[in-house]
Amino acid sequence: QVEPTTTVDTGGTGYDLADIAAGGATFADDVVVTGKTTSAQMKIDGNTDPLLRIESTNNSPFAIQVANKTHNSGNTPFTVYQGNDGVSYIGNSSVHQAMNIAVDGSIGIGTTTPISAFEVEAGLTTTGAVISLGTKETTVVANDVLGRINFYAPLEASGTDAILPGASIHALATDTFDTANNETALVFSTASSDAELGSATSGAVFERLRITSAGLVGIGETSPEKTLHAKVDGDSPAMLERTNGSNTTGLGDSLIL
């Protein structure tokens, strides 16, 4: 829909406002649309898909650019660009690409050829690529979660517990944060079936291993007292097994603690 107050320069194509308002007008030359609607400088109303299509007819890459005329003087505008290889780029130019979307839908940041559904390439030497998860909490206290990664099967046809997280890794604050304190533990959790646990789990994940802020490792223990602290109910909690080499200890191939 072209608002009645809109002025259109059709580049000599012969179309008028009535043609454009009715739809189906194709312009081979530059078209400038100006005018103010109740919600925007220019508005396109319709019920087709796609509502707007912009394409190059000479098999060359093309871009759509968005710029602030006042604040973008001398700078490269925000750009959406598609190359001849079918890869789409988002950034401030086709050279400086913030994100790339491959033909198969894979997303690359810092790379135009992601090797998985999502890949980040960045940094050099001892830095490498960094992905950060952060909380918006302004007063962090013990047991606040700073960030979490969940693993699950959202399309599993069984539904119920089957589509809930099967494993999780999260960073857990273990004290009140202040200017000289950011004590945090890293917690690894997995889910059990009702049969394995011996009771209903409701799809919950259970903490299995924790690395404290001091570097102590707890297995089945949330407050480890030694470098490695394992605790289980029932039989012996640990077993060391040698898979090759000669037995010179006299303890056999397996040592159960």
Side-chain angles (χ1 to χ4, degrees):
Q1 172 183 339
V2 178
E3 298 291 331
T5 57
T6 300
T7 299
V8 180
D9 174 7
T10 62
T13 60
Y15 293 116
D16 57 21
L17 287 177
D19 294 324
I20 299 170
T26 301
F27 302 101
D29 301 313
D30 293 341
V31 178
V32 179
V33 180
T34 60
K36 189 172 183 180
T37 71
T38 56
S39 59
Q41 288 295 114
M42 184 178 74
K43 182 173 67 174
I44 301 175
D45 287 343
N47 56 7
T48 60
D49 183 20
L51 183 61
L52 174 65
R53 179 184 176 93
I54 302 175
E55 63 181 24
S56 170
T57 58
N58 61 357
N59 295 322
S60 63
F62 71 92
I64 301 172
Q65 294 186 332
V66 180
N68 184 304
K69 186 174 182 180
T70 301
H71 300 287
N72 204 65
S73 178
N75 298 318
T76 304
F78 171 79
T79 301
V80 179
Y81 173 93
Q82 186 175 59
N84 287 335
D85 55 2
V87 177
S88 300
Y89 312 95
I90 298 175
N92 62 3
S93 72
S94 61
V95 177
H96 301 95
Q97 301 156 12
M99 185 175 72
N100 306 281
I101 305 174
V103 176
D104 66 356
S106 299
I107 295 175
I109 295 178
T111 176
T112 60
T113 55
I115 62 174
S116 58
F118 178 67
E119 180 188 356
V120 177
E121 292 184 12
L124 298 169
T125 61
T126 59
T127 302
V130 177
I131 299 177
S132 299
L133 301 179
T135 177
K136 287 188 175 294
E137 176 59 57
T138 59
T139 53
V140 176
V141 297
N143 295 319
D144 280 351
V145 175
L146 307 185
R148 182 189 303 271
I149 300 174
N150 285 338
F151 305 87
Y152 77 130
L155 304 182
E156 164 58 43
S158 303
T160 59
D161 290 3
I163 60 174
L164 297 177
S168 178
I169 303 171
H170 70 275
L172 185 71
T174 53
D175 200 357
T176 299
F177 279 24
D178 60 35
T179 56
N181 183 14
N182 61 345
E183 285 189 13
T184 302
L186 192 61
V187 179
F188 296 78
S189 304
T190 61
S192 293
S193 67
D194 293 356
E196 182 180 47
L197 191 68
S199 62
T201 66
S202 299
V205 292
F206 300 92
E207 178 176 334
R208 309 300 187 184
L209 184 146
R210 174 181 296 216
I211 304 174
T212 71
S213 59
L216 305 181
V217 177
I219 301 176
E221 173 56 57
T222 60
S223 301
E225 299 175 2
K226 300 294 182 180
T227 302
L228 176 61
H229 185 162
K231 181 174 71 176
V232 297
D233 293 330
D235 296 333
S236 300
M239 182 176 74
L240 303 178
E241 181 175 351
R242 183 178 59 252
T243 59
N244 55 50
S246 60
N247 180 8
T248 59
T249 64
L251 297 176
D253 289 332
S254 297
L255 176 61
I256 298 177
L257 305 176

